[in-house]
Short mmCIF file of all heavy atoms in Angstrom, two decimals:
data_model
loop_
_atom_site.label_atom_id
_atom_site.label_comp_id
_atom_site.label_asym_id
_atom_site.label_seq_id
_atom_site.Cartn_x
_atom_site.Cartn_y
_atom_site.Cartn_z
N GLU B 370 108.04 107.19 89.84
CA GLU B 370 106.69 107.63 90.21
C GLU B 370 106.03 108.49 89.13
O GLU B 370 104.88 108.27 88.75
CB GLU B 370 106.76 108.39 91.54
CG GLU B 370 105.40 108.85 92.03
CD GLU B 370 105.44 109.49 93.41
OE1 GLU B 370 106.47 109.40 94.10
OE2 GLU B 370 104.42 110.09 93.78
N PHE B 371 106.79 109.44 88.61
CA PHE B 371 106.22 110.38 87.65
C PHE B 371 105.77 109.65 86.37
O PHE B 371 104.63 109.80 85.94
CB PHE B 371 107.25 111.47 87.31
CG PHE B 371 106.75 112.48 86.34
CD1 PHE B 371 105.91 113.51 86.77
CD2 PHE B 371 107.07 112.40 85.00
CE1 PHE B 371 105.43 114.45 85.87
CE2 PHE B 371 106.60 113.34 84.09
CZ PHE B 371 105.78 114.36 84.53
N ASP B 372 106.66 108.83 85.81
CA ASP B 372 106.33 108.12 84.57
C ASP B 372 105.17 107.15 84.78
O ASP B 372 104.29 107.02 83.92
CB ASP B 372 107.55 107.33 84.06
CG ASP B 372 108.62 108.27 83.55
OD1 ASP B 372 108.26 109.41 83.22
OD2 ASP B 372 109.80 107.87 83.51
N ILE B 373 105.20 106.46 85.92
CA ILE B 373 104.15 105.46 86.17
C ILE B 373 102.79 106.15 86.33
O ILE B 373 101.79 105.69 85.76
CB ILE B 373 104.52 104.61 87.41
CG1 ILE B 373 105.69 103.67 87.04
CG2 ILE B 373 103.32 103.80 87.89
CD1 ILE B 373 106.34 102.99 88.21
N LYS B 374 102.76 107.26 87.05
CA LYS B 374 101.47 107.94 87.24
C LYS B 374 100.91 108.50 85.93
O LYS B 374 99.71 108.73 85.83
CB LYS B 374 101.62 109.06 88.27
CG LYS B 374 101.56 108.56 89.72
CD LYS B 374 101.60 109.75 90.65
CE LYS B 374 101.34 109.38 92.08
NZ LYS B 374 101.51 110.55 92.96
N GLN B 375 101.78 108.71 84.95
CA GLN B 375 101.29 109.13 83.63
C GLN B 375 100.50 108.00 82.96
O GLN B 375 99.65 108.24 82.12
CB GLN B 375 102.47 109.50 82.71
CG GLN B 375 103.23 110.76 83.11
CD GLN B 375 102.56 112.03 82.64
OE1 GLN B 375 101.59 112.01 81.88
NE2 GLN B 375 103.05 113.17 83.09
N ARG B 376 100.81 106.75 83.36
CA ARG B 376 100.24 105.59 82.65
C ARG B 376 99.14 104.87 83.42
O ARG B 376 98.62 103.86 82.94
CB ARG B 376 101.37 104.59 82.34
CG ARG B 376 102.44 105.16 81.44
CD ARG B 376 103.62 104.22 81.30
NE ARG B 376 103.29 102.99 80.59
CZ ARG B 376 104.15 101.99 80.41
NH1 ARG B 376 105.37 102.07 80.89
NH2 ARG B 376 103.78 100.89 79.75
N ILE B 377 98.82 105.38 84.60
CA ILE B 377 97.79 104.70 85.39
C ILE B 377 96.75 105.72 85.88
O ILE B 377 96.96 106.92 85.76
CB ILE B 377 98.38 103.96 86.61
CG1 ILE B 377 99.00 104.97 87.60
CG2 ILE B 377 99.42 102.94 86.19
CD1 ILE B 377 99.44 104.33 88.90
N ALA B 378 95.67 105.20 86.42
CA ALA B 378 94.68 106.09 87.06
C ALA B 378 94.19 105.41 88.33
O ALA B 378 93.96 104.20 88.34
CB ALA B 378 93.52 106.36 86.11
N PHE B 379 94.07 106.19 89.39
CA PHE B 379 93.59 105.68 90.67
C PHE B 379 92.29 106.40 90.98
O PHE B 379 92.28 107.62 91.14
CB PHE B 379 94.64 105.92 91.74
CG PHE B 379 94.25 105.41 93.12
CD1 PHE B 379 93.34 104.37 93.28
CD2 PHE B 379 94.81 105.96 94.25
CE1 PHE B 379 92.99 103.90 94.53
CE2 PHE B 379 94.48 105.50 95.51
CZ PHE B 379 93.56 104.47 95.66
N LEU B 380 91.21 105.66 91.02
CA LEU B 380 89.89 106.27 91.25
C LEU B 380 89.33 105.76 92.57
O LEU B 380 89.15 104.55 92.74
CB LEU B 380 88.91 105.87 90.15
CG LEU B 380 88.95 106.58 88.80
CD1 LEU B 380 90.28 106.46 88.11
CD2 LEU B 380 87.87 106.00 87.90
N LEU B 381 89.08 106.69 93.47
CA LEU B 381 88.47 106.32 94.75
C LEU B 381 86.97 106.57 94.58
O LEU B 381 86.49 107.66 94.81
CB LEU B 381 89.06 107.18 95.85
CG LEU B 381 88.85 106.74 97.29
CD1 LEU B 381 89.61 105.46 97.59
CD2 LEU B 381 89.31 107.83 98.25
N GLY B 382 86.26 105.53 94.12
CA GLY B 382 84.85 105.72 93.77
C GLY B 382 84.78 106.63 92.55
O GLY B 382 85.62 106.57 91.66
N GLY B 383 83.78 107.51 92.53
CA GLY B 383 83.67 108.47 91.43
C GLY B 383 84.48 109.71 91.76
O GLY B 383 85.26 109.71 92.71
N VAL B 384 84.29 110.78 90.97
CA VAL B 384 85.01 112.02 91.28
C VAL B 384 84.49 112.51 92.63
O VAL B 384 83.30 112.70 92.83
CB VAL B 384 84.85 113.06 90.14
CG1 VAL B 384 83.40 113.36 89.85
CG2 VAL B 384 85.59 114.34 90.46
N ASN B 385 85.39 112.62 93.59
CA ASN B 385 84.97 113.01 94.93
C ASN B 385 85.77 114.22 95.42
O ASN B 385 85.99 114.40 96.59
CB ASN B 385 85.12 111.84 95.92
CG ASN B 385 86.56 111.41 96.06
OD1 ASN B 385 87.41 111.80 95.27
ND2 ASN B 385 86.85 110.61 97.06
N TYR B 386 86.24 115.00 94.46
CA TYR B 386 87.01 116.18 94.81
C TYR B 386 86.41 117.39 94.08
O TYR B 386 85.81 117.25 93.01
CB TYR B 386 88.48 116.01 94.44
CG TYR B 386 88.71 115.32 93.12
CD1 TYR B 386 88.64 116.03 91.92
CD2 TYR B 386 88.95 113.96 93.05
CE1 TYR B 386 88.84 115.42 90.70
CE2 TYR B 386 89.14 113.32 91.84
CZ TYR B 386 89.09 114.05 90.68
OH TYR B 386 89.26 113.44 89.47
N TYR B 387 86.58 118.53 94.67
CA TYR B 387 86.10 119.80 94.10
C TYR B 387 84.68 119.66 93.52
O TYR B 387 84.43 119.91 92.34
CB TYR B 387 87.11 120.32 93.07
CG TYR B 387 88.37 120.73 93.77
CD1 TYR B 387 89.55 120.02 93.64
CD2 TYR B 387 88.35 121.81 94.63
CE1 TYR B 387 90.69 120.37 94.35
CE2 TYR B 387 89.48 122.17 95.35
CZ TYR B 387 90.63 121.45 95.20
OH TYR B 387 91.74 121.81 95.91
N LEU B 388 83.79 119.28 94.41
CA LEU B 388 82.43 118.97 93.99
C LEU B 388 81.67 120.19 93.48
O LEU B 388 80.68 120.05 92.77
CB LEU B 388 81.65 118.34 95.16
CG LEU B 388 82.18 117.00 95.67
CD1 LEU B 388 81.33 116.47 96.80
CD2 LEU B 388 82.24 115.97 94.55
N ASN B 389 82.11 121.38 93.83
CA ASN B 389 81.39 122.58 93.39
C ASN B 389 82.08 123.32 92.25
O ASN B 389 81.70 124.45 91.92
CB ASN B 389 81.16 123.52 94.58
CG ASN B 389 80.17 122.91 95.55
OD1 ASN B 389 79.09 122.47 95.15
ND2 ASN B 389 80.55 122.81 96.81
N LYS B 390 83.10 122.72 91.69
CA LYS B 390 83.77 123.34 90.52
C LYS B 390 83.19 122.71 89.25
O LYS B 390 82.86 121.51 89.24
CB LYS B 390 85.27 123.07 90.57
CG LYS B 390 85.98 123.74 91.73
CD LYS B 390 86.24 125.20 91.46
CE LYS B 390 86.98 125.82 92.64
NZ LYS B 390 87.11 127.27 92.51
N LYS B 391 83.11 123.50 88.21
CA LYS B 391 82.60 122.94 86.96
C LYS B 391 83.56 121.90 86.41
O LYS B 391 84.78 122.03 86.56
CB LYS B 391 82.41 124.06 85.94
CG LYS B 391 81.19 124.90 86.24
CD LYS B 391 80.93 125.91 85.14
CE LYS B 391 79.67 126.68 85.49
NZ LYS B 391 79.44 127.81 84.61
N LEU B 392 82.99 120.90 85.74
CA LEU B 392 83.83 119.83 85.18
C LEU B 392 84.88 120.41 84.24
O LEU B 392 86.01 119.92 84.19
CB LEU B 392 82.98 118.80 84.42
CG LEU B 392 81.90 118.07 85.19
CD1 LEU B 392 81.32 116.95 84.32
CD2 LEU B 392 82.40 117.49 86.49
N LYS B 393 84.52 121.47 83.51
CA LYS B 393 85.49 121.99 82.54
C LYS B 393 86.71 122.58 83.24
O LYS B 393 87.82 122.52 82.69
CB LYS B 393 84.85 122.99 81.58
CG LYS B 393 84.31 124.25 82.16
CD LYS B 393 83.73 125.09 81.03
CE LYS B 393 83.01 126.30 81.59
NZ LYS B 393 82.24 126.99 80.56
N ILE B 394 86.52 123.10 84.44
CA ILE B 394 87.68 123.63 85.18
C ILE B 394 88.54 122.47 85.70
O ILE B 394 89.77 122.49 85.58
CB ILE B 394 87.22 124.54 86.35
CG1 ILE B 394 86.49 125.74 85.79
CG2 ILE B 394 88.41 124.99 87.19
CD1 ILE B 394 85.90 126.67 86.81
N ILE B 395 87.87 121.45 86.23
CA ILE B 395 88.63 120.28 86.73
C ILE B 395 89.40 119.64 85.57
O ILE B 395 90.58 119.31 85.70
CB ILE B 395 87.68 119.26 87.40
CG1 ILE B 395 86.99 119.89 88.61
CG2 ILE B 395 88.43 118.00 87.81
CD1 ILE B 395 85.95 119.02 89.30
N THR B 396 88.72 119.52 84.42
CA THR B 396 89.40 118.93 83.26
C THR B 396 90.58 119.79 82.83
O THR B 396 91.68 119.28 82.58
CB THR B 396 88.40 118.83 82.07
OG1 THR B 396 87.30 118.03 82.49
CG2 THR B 396 89.06 118.21 80.86
N ASN B 397 90.34 121.09 82.77
CA ASN B 397 91.39 122.02 82.34
C ASN B 397 92.63 121.90 83.21
O ASN B 397 93.76 121.88 82.72
CB ASN B 397 90.79 123.44 82.40
CG ASN B 397 91.79 124.50 82.01
OD1 ASN B 397 92.85 124.19 81.47
ND2 ASN B 397 91.49 125.74 82.31
N VAL B 398 92.42 121.77 84.53
CA VAL B 398 93.56 121.64 85.44
C VAL B 398 94.20 120.26 85.27
O VAL B 398 95.41 120.13 85.11
CB VAL B 398 93.11 121.85 86.91
CG1 VAL B 398 94.22 121.46 87.87
CG2 VAL B 398 92.69 123.30 87.13
N THR B 399 93.35 119.22 85.26
CA THR B 399 93.87 117.85 85.23
C THR B 399 94.69 117.58 83.96
O THR B 399 95.76 116.99 84.02
CB THR B 399 92.70 116.84 85.32
OG1 THR B 399 91.92 117.16 86.47
CG2 THR B 399 93.20 115.41 85.42
N LYS B 400 94.18 118.03 82.83
CA LYS B 400 94.83 117.66 81.57
C LYS B 400 96.24 118.26 81.45
O LYS B 400 97.10 117.69 80.77
CB LYS B 400 93.98 118.05 80.36
CG LYS B 400 93.92 119.50 80.02
CD LYS B 400 93.06 119.67 78.78
CE LYS B 400 93.06 121.08 78.26
NZ LYS B 400 92.16 121.24 77.12
N SER B 401 96.47 119.37 82.15
CA SER B 401 97.79 120.00 82.01
C SER B 401 98.90 119.16 82.65
O SER B 401 100.07 119.40 82.41
CB SER B 401 97.77 121.41 82.59
OG SER B 401 97.25 121.41 83.89
N PHE B 402 98.52 118.15 83.43
CA PHE B 402 99.54 117.32 84.08
C PHE B 402 99.96 116.12 83.21
O PHE B 402 100.93 115.46 83.52
CB PHE B 402 99.01 116.78 85.41
CG PHE B 402 98.95 117.82 86.49
CD1 PHE B 402 97.80 118.59 86.66
CD2 PHE B 402 100.03 118.06 87.31
CE1 PHE B 402 97.74 119.56 87.65
CE2 PHE B 402 99.98 119.03 88.29
CZ PHE B 402 98.84 119.78 88.47
N TYR B 403 99.19 115.83 82.16
CA TYR B 403 99.44 114.60 81.41
C TYR B 403 100.02 114.86 80.03
O TYR B 403 99.47 115.63 79.23
CB TYR B 403 98.14 113.79 81.29
CG TYR B 403 97.70 113.23 82.63
CD1 TYR B 403 96.70 113.85 83.36
CD2 TYR B 403 98.33 112.12 83.17
CE1 TYR B 403 96.32 113.36 84.61
CE2 TYR B 403 97.96 111.62 84.41
CZ TYR B 403 96.95 112.24 85.12
OH TYR B 403 96.59 111.76 86.34
N GLN B 404 101.15 114.17 79.77
CA GLN B 404 101.81 114.32 78.46
C GLN B 404 100.96 113.71 77.36
O GLN B 404 100.98 114.17 76.23
CB GLN B 404 103.17 113.61 78.51
CG GLN B 404 104.16 114.30 79.42
CD GLN B 404 105.29 113.38 79.88
OE1 GLN B 404 105.25 112.17 79.68
NE2 GLN B 404 106.29 113.95 80.52
N ASN B 405 100.23 112.62 77.68
CA ASN B 405 99.48 111.90 76.65
C ASN B 405 98.01 112.28 76.60
O ASN B 405 97.19 111.49 76.15
CB ASN B 405 99.58 110.39 76.88
CG ASN B 405 100.98 109.90 76.62
OD1 ASN B 405 101.70 110.47 75.80
ND2 ASN B 405 101.37 108.85 77.32
N TRP B 406 97.68 113.44 77.12
CA TRP B 406 96.26 113.82 77.13
C TRP B 406 95.73 113.92 75.71
O TRP B 406 96.35 114.53 74.83
CB TRP B 406 96.08 115.16 77.85
CG TRP B 406 94.63 115.53 77.94
CD1 TRP B 406 93.91 116.26 77.05
CD2 TRP B 406 93.71 115.15 78.97
NE1 TRP B 406 92.60 116.36 77.46
CE2 TRP B 406 92.45 115.70 78.64
CE3 TRP B 406 93.82 114.41 80.15
CZ2 TRP B 406 91.33 115.52 79.44
CZ3 TRP B 406 92.70 114.24 80.95
CH2 TRP B 406 91.47 114.80 80.58
N ASP B 407 94.57 113.31 75.48
CA ASP B 407 94.00 113.32 74.14
C ASP B 407 92.61 113.96 74.20
O ASP B 407 91.66 113.36 74.70
CB ASP B 407 93.90 111.85 73.65
CG ASP B 407 93.42 111.75 72.22
OD1 ASP B 407 92.88 112.77 71.71
OD2 ASP B 407 93.55 110.68 71.62
N ASN B 408 92.52 115.16 73.66
CA ASN B 408 91.26 115.91 73.72
C ASN B 408 90.13 115.21 72.97
O ASN B 408 88.98 115.26 73.38
CB ASN B 408 91.45 117.31 73.13
CG ASN B 408 91.59 118.33 74.25
OD1 ASN B 408 91.10 118.11 75.37
ND2 ASN B 408 92.25 119.42 73.96
N LYS B 409 90.50 114.54 71.87
CA LYS B 409 89.47 113.85 71.06
C LYS B 409 88.83 112.74 71.87
O LYS B 409 87.61 112.57 71.89
CB LYS B 409 90.11 113.27 69.79
CG LYS B 409 90.11 114.25 68.63
CD LYS B 409 90.51 113.54 67.37
CE LYS B 409 90.58 114.57 66.25
NZ LYS B 409 91.34 114.08 65.12
N THR B 410 89.69 111.96 72.55
CA THR B 410 89.18 110.87 73.39
C THR B 410 88.30 111.45 74.49
O THR B 410 87.22 110.92 74.79
CB THR B 410 90.36 110.09 74.02
OG1 THR B 410 91.24 109.74 72.98
CG2 THR B 410 89.89 108.86 74.76
N TYR B 411 88.77 112.55 75.07
CA TYR B 411 88.01 113.19 76.15
C TYR B 411 86.61 113.58 75.67
O TYR B 411 85.61 113.25 76.29
CB TYR B 411 88.78 114.41 76.66
CG TYR B 411 87.99 115.27 77.62
CD1 TYR B 411 87.75 114.85 78.92
CD2 TYR B 411 87.46 116.50 77.21
CE1 TYR B 411 87.01 115.62 79.80
CE2 TYR B 411 86.72 117.28 78.08
CZ TYR B 411 86.49 116.84 79.36
OH TYR B 411 85.75 117.60 80.23
N GLU B 412 86.58 114.27 74.53
CA GLU B 412 85.28 114.73 74.00
C GLU B 412 84.38 113.54 73.64
O GLU B 412 83.17 113.56 73.87
CB GLU B 412 85.50 115.63 72.78
CG GLU B 412 85.95 117.03 73.19
CD GLU B 412 86.60 117.78 72.05
OE1 GLU B 412 86.43 117.38 70.88
OE2 GLU B 412 87.29 118.78 72.35
N GLN B 413 85.02 112.51 73.11
CA GLN B 413 84.25 111.33 72.71
C GLN B 413 83.58 110.67 73.93
O GLN B 413 82.38 110.36 73.90
CB GLN B 413 85.20 110.34 72.02
CG GLN B 413 84.57 109.04 71.60
CD GLN B 413 85.61 107.92 71.57
OE1 GLN B 413 86.73 108.13 71.10
NE2 GLN B 413 85.24 106.75 72.08
N TYR B 414 84.34 110.50 75.02
CA TYR B 414 83.76 109.89 76.22
C TYR B 414 82.74 110.81 76.89
O TYR B 414 81.74 110.34 77.43
CB TYR B 414 84.84 109.45 77.21
CG TYR B 414 85.46 108.12 76.85
CD1 TYR B 414 86.75 108.04 76.38
CD2 TYR B 414 84.73 106.94 76.97
CE1 TYR B 414 87.32 106.83 76.02
CE2 TYR B 414 85.28 105.72 76.62
CZ TYR B 414 86.57 105.65 76.15
OH TYR B 414 87.12 104.45 75.80
N MET B 415 83.00 112.12 76.86
CA MET B 415 82.03 113.06 77.46
C MET B 415 80.69 112.93 76.74
O MET B 415 79.63 112.95 77.36
CB MET B 415 82.54 114.50 77.37
CG MET B 415 83.71 114.83 78.29
SD MET B 415 83.34 114.72 80.05
CE MET B 415 82.62 116.31 80.38
N ARG B 416 80.77 112.79 75.40
CA ARG B 416 79.53 112.62 74.61
C ARG B 416 78.89 111.28 74.91
O ARG B 416 77.70 111.18 75.18
CB ARG B 416 79.85 112.72 73.11
CG ARG B 416 79.71 114.13 72.54
CD ARG B 416 79.61 114.11 71.01
NE ARG B 416 80.67 113.35 70.39
CZ ARG B 416 81.88 113.86 70.11
NH1 ARG B 416 82.16 115.10 70.40
NH2 ARG B 416 82.81 113.11 69.53
N GLN B 417 79.73 110.23 74.87
CA GLN B 417 79.22 108.87 75.08
C GLN B 417 78.53 108.73 76.44
O GLN B 417 77.52 108.06 76.56
CB GLN B 417 80.39 107.88 74.97
CG GLN B 417 79.97 106.43 75.04
CD GLN B 417 81.18 105.49 75.00
OE1 GLN B 417 82.21 105.79 74.38
NE2 GLN B 417 81.05 104.35 75.64
N PHE B 418 79.09 109.39 77.45
CA PHE B 418 78.53 109.27 78.80
C PHE B 418 77.52 110.38 79.12
O PHE B 418 77.08 110.50 80.26
CB PHE B 418 79.65 109.30 79.85
CG PHE B 418 80.62 108.15 79.78
CD1 PHE B 418 81.91 108.28 80.26
CD2 PHE B 418 80.24 106.92 79.25
CE1 PHE B 418 82.81 107.22 80.21
CE2 PHE B 418 81.14 105.86 79.18
CZ PHE B 418 82.43 106.01 79.66
N ASN B 419 77.21 111.19 78.12
CA ASN B 419 76.27 112.30 78.31
C ASN B 419 76.67 113.23 79.45
O ASN B 419 75.84 113.64 80.27
CB ASN B 419 74.85 111.76 78.62
CG ASN B 419 74.20 111.26 77.37
OD1 ASN B 419 74.37 111.86 76.30
ND2 ASN B 419 73.49 110.15 77.47
N LEU B 420 77.93 113.54 79.51
CA LEU B 420 78.42 114.42 80.58
C LEU B 420 78.47 115.86 80.07
O LEU B 420 78.94 116.12 78.97
CB LEU B 420 79.82 113.99 81.02
CG LEU B 420 79.87 112.74 81.90
CD1 LEU B 420 81.26 112.10 81.86
CD2 LEU B 420 79.48 113.07 83.34
#
Side-chain angles (χ1 to χ4, degrees):
Chain B
E370 182 174 349
F371 181 79
D372 289 339
I373 289 168
K374 278 185 171 175
Q375 291 278 352
R376 299 172 67 184
I377 64 172
F379 180 26
L380 280 60
L381 196 68
V384 56
N385 62 347
Y386 40 82
Y387 292 110
L388 297 181
N389 291 310
K390 295 280 182 187
K391 285 186 178 171
L392 300 189
K393 63 180 173 190
I394 297 176
I395 298 175
T396 302
N397 178 13
V398 170
T399 306
K400 74 178 186 184
S401 51
F402 287 90
Y403 291 100
Q404 291 159 350
N405 291 331
W406 183 269
D407 184 345
N408 259 335
K409 271 191 183 162
T410 309
Y411 171 73
E412 283 161 17
Q413 178 207 318
Y414 279 109
M415 289 296 276
R416 268 197 308 275
Q417 185 183 330
F418 296 155
N419 284 322
L420 285 159

